[in-house]
Amino acid sequence: MAGWREGGGMAMSLNPPGETPPAEGSIGEVHQQPADGGIWEHPRFWAGLILLGSIFFAAYFIGRIFGYG
């Protein structure tokens, strides 16, 4: 039965120790910072808008129950 001592259970490294494999890339590369998405990147606004709308929706039906509207 081949165990990890014979190399059956572990992958062999093709790169010398300390070098980053080509598939992983480097975190030190220059990259462009994406522009601010404006209101789309602010979920509190949308959560507040949905909450406010649900309060008005519920208030309408509660008002109907008590004879308003």
Side-chain angles (χ1 to χ4, degrees):
M1 178 158 98
W4 63 275
R5 291 185 183 144
E6 289 85 25
M10 297 182 66
M12 293 181 62
S13 176
L14 300 177
N15 293 335
E19 285 193 21
T20 305
E24 292 184 14
S26 172
I27 60 171
E29 295 173 356
V30 176
H31 63 279
Q32 291 289 334
Q33 184 70 21
D36 183 27
I39 200 167
W40 302 107
E41 291 186 6
H42 301 286
R44 287 183 183 169
F45 170 80
W46 295 109
L49 189 64
I50 291 169
L51 182 64
L52 187 65
S54 63
I55 289 171
F56 282 133
F57 189 77
Y60 171 76
F61 286 103
I62 291 172
R64 294 279 311 247
I65 289 171
F66 291 108
Y68 300 105

